[in-house]
Structure formats: structure tokens, C-alpha cells
Amino acid sequence: MADSITAEHWFLAHEGRLLQRDDQIIFTAADVGDTDVRYGVDDGFGLAVLAQRPVGLTAVDGLRGLLARSVDEVEYARLARASQLATWHDQHRFCGRCGGTLQAHPQDMARQCPVCSLVQYPRISPCIIVLVTRGDRCLLAHSARFPPGRYSTLAGFIEAGETAEAALKREVYEEVGIKVHNIRFFASQSWPFPHQLMLGFFADHLSGELVPDGEEILEAGWFGVDDLPDLPPPFSIARQLIDHFFAVKHDSSTE
């Protein structure tokens, strides 16, 4: 199935990374040379995994910046999907059960072991991301991974056997020592760093005082619309949560 993919527009990848020529990220069928495999990305768009990196093409440096330049959600979704498929293909070349070399599945978007028949589908890791609120203020935290001065919402992976709501309560308590309630789903977003699906929620503060864990979270505080720190970029679901919260507060205050 993967080898029969046809498309007018192509993303190119090599060794798990999308390729570019200067600022060009989308190519034509004429640019698709010797490929390991091809995958469908969207209607009219495909991903070609190249066996060799052509002269003049370089690996995309700064996927976040590329996503931030997306003109709309459709373009963002294409980039996210292409990037995740490129990473998955590169990281799933061998069978995790018997060590055989995986091959393209004949029908599904998957890779199959010819020795033991184990099928590997593109990996997706579900995560929660939550904006905790208290009155007209929201909880923002500075992670050890962030640039200096950057604050964002809390997030974490859902563990085996957990619901999204249980993971949310656990992550908030582990990272900043408070309990939350009144959990409300907001939206989801594919997050290709490298293969997350972010499930966005709001939750209200229930009890406890902020005590950052000192490892994952270095600083945390309650922020209002007039004292917000440096925030994540607008394309991120973290920023969408923050912007939505203050937009609703503003609308309710002007009624």
C-alpha cells in the first residue's frame, strides 16, 4: 500500500527528519528519487522516505519554527503528520519481538515483520496538558527545558492503565503539589516532538499551595492577564488554553 501512494505534493525525509531546500519544504513528484517507502499525508500530499539525501537538501533545523509559520490548522496538521511518520519509520526498522527487518505492510500504514508477522503501526503517545485556574488567575510554570523566562501550562504522559483525568490529577500533584477538580476537556493537538497527542483540559484549583518539584518544574505561580510572563508560541495548544481562558474572562467582565 505504501509504495503505491501517489501525490502532487511531497514532503521528503531522510534518517527520520524532514528535508528542505533553502526555505522550500514541499516538493513535486520530480523531486522524489530513490525511496525506501512512501506514505500518504493528506489529500494530494505524500511523504517520501529517501534512501539517500540528495545534494542540495538539508535536514529541517527547528521544527517548532516551521510549525509556527503554518498559515492554518490544515498546514500545521500536514507538517505534524509528515514529521511523525518520518520519525516513526526511522525508529521502527527492526522487529521488537524477534529482531527481523520490518517491511511495509501490504494494506495498512504499518510495518510488518516477515519472520514473526508482528505489525507495528505509527506510534502515538497520549499526553495531558492542563491550564489550572483559580478565580481570574491561571497556573503557569517554568520547566527546566524552557528558555529563560518562559512559562507554560503543566503537561505529562498518560501512563498505562490511566484515564486522561487520572493522569491530569497525578501530574499536577507530582509537579506542583496541589489538587484539582472540575476537569473540562478543551481540545486536542498533534504534537510531533516526536509523537505526542496532546489532550488539552481546564481544571480548577481545589486545595494545596504551590510547591514545584525542583526537577521537572523549577518555578510556578498564579498569573493574571496584566502580569503574564513570556508564553509559548500561538500555534501551541498551551497558548490556546491560556488565550481562551483570558478571552472568556474578558467577555464575562464586559457583559
Side-chain angles (χ1 to χ4, degrees):
M1 176 182 177
D3 290 327
S4 65
I5 295 294
T6 59
E8 182 180 355
H9 309 287
W10 289 91
F11 297 97
L12 306 181
H14 175 63
E15 295 184 344
R17 299 179 68 182
L18 297 182
L19 299 178
Q20 63 182 15
R21 180 187 292 123
D22 298 324
D23 291 332
Q24 181 184 3
I25 189 70
I26 298 176
F27 299 86
T28 67
D31 296 302
V32 180
D34 183 19
T35 62
D36 278 354
V37 71
R38 302 179 184 190
Y39 297 107
V41 173
D42 195 6
D43 186 23
F45 288 80
L47 169 71
V49 180
L50 305 184
Q52 301 292 329
R53 179 167 59 85
V55 175
L57 297 186
T58 59
V60 168
D61 182 20
L63 181 59
R64 280 181 171 82
L66 189 64
L67 291 168
R69 296 196 298 272
S70 300
V71 297
D72 54 30
E73 287 293 329
V74 173
E75 184 174 319
Y76 175 93
R78 286 179 187 143
L79 284 166
R81 179 173 168 85
S83 175
Q84 290 183 69
L85 289 175
T87 300
W88 164 72
H89 178 90
D90 182 64
Q91 295 180 356
H92 290 77
R93 290 179 287 174
F94 302 98
C95 177
R97 182 159 63 189
C98 74
T101 300
L102 297 180
Q103 300 175 354
H105 191 279
Q107 286 86 35
D108 298 342
M109 182 179 287
R111 296 177 68 74
Q112 186 173 26
C113 178
V115 180
C116 71
S117 300
L118 180 70
V119 177
Q120 294 283 348
Y121 291 89
R123 181 178 178 182
I124 300 174
S125 301
C127 304
I128 60 89
I129 184 165
V130 56
L131 184 69
V132 181
T133 63
R134 187 176 67 176
D136 60 355
R137 304 181 76 80
C138 66
L139 170 59
L140 300 174
H142 176 71
S143 168
R145 305 185 309 273
F146 291 170
R150 171 69 56 82
Y151 281 69
S152 185
T153 53
L154 300 180
F157 287 98
I158 300 174
E159 296 182 354
E162 279 189 321
T163 63
E165 293 81 1
L168 185 156
K169 292 180 178 180
R170 174 184 54 77
E171 284 287 346
V172 171
Y173 187 75
E174 288 178 352
E175 293 186 352
V176 294
I178 65 172
K179 294 183 178 181
V180 298
H181 68 150
N182 193 23
I183 298 169
R184 294 96 68 197
F185 178 74
F186 172 67
S188 62
Q189 183 180 58
S190 176
W191 191 247
F193 301 102
H195 41 64
Q196 283 97 308
L197 174 63
M198 308 300 291
L199 305 176
F201 294 88
F202 290 104
D204 294 339
H205 174 263
L206 176 62
S207 63
E209 298 299 324
L210 296 178
V211 181
D213 64 9
E215 297 181 4
E216 181 73 16
I217 301 300
L218 302 183
E219 299 176 15
W222 299 102
F223 294 86
V225 68
D226 295 325
D227 61 354
L228 289 172
D230 180 36
L231 298 175
F235 74 87
S236 66
I237 191 170
R239 180 63 173 272
Q240 293 171 28
L241 283 161
I242 297 167
D243 289 348
H244 182 80
F245 171 69
F246 286 114
V248 170
K249 287 295 181 183
H250 176 268
D251 290 345
S252 63
S253 67
T254 57
E255 291 179 351

